[in-house]
Amino acid sequence: MSDDTMQQIYMRVTQRIQSDRKQLSQIEAQTSGNQREVRLAALTKREIEGLDTSVPLYKSMGKMFVCETKAALLHDIETTTSEANAMIEALEKKKKFVSRDLEEATGNLKDLVKSSQAAAAKN
């Protein structure tokens, strides 16, 4: 292969590696955000469950607060938790796929470097 072709392949592979690393960091950030949301929901649920049903409870909606029943708030918390857990599972699957793609690209880069060194040694 010519030097130009090798350089183009090298550039494509390194761009792919950089893209995969960026995706992995974004996935990890989203996962940690969802995990934080689950922990926060669990804490809120524990606090609400300890309250009497006669205590007025309020839910934040934008810049205002709306009075809600205990059951409605607990239902909202359960929904939030299940959605966040589903998102975490989806992100973990995506993370495995991107990690595998990154390993493949890294392997391709190593093979490219080895073949380039072998071609240089022949000359």
Side-chain angles (χ1 to χ4, degrees), residues 17 20-21 35 45-46 55 57 62 79 92 104 114 119-120:
I17 289 172
D20 289 344
R21 285 184 179 157
Q35 288 170 341
K45 180 180 178 182
R46 190 172 65 230
V55 175
L57 299 172
T79 303
E92 288 299 323
E104 181 183 317
K114 285 180 184 177

Side-chain angles (χ1 to χ4, degrees), residues 62-74:
K63 293 185 179 184
M64 65 181 195
F65 293 92
V66 177
C67 188
E68 291 278 342
T69 64
K70 183 177 178 179
L73 282 175
L74 289 174

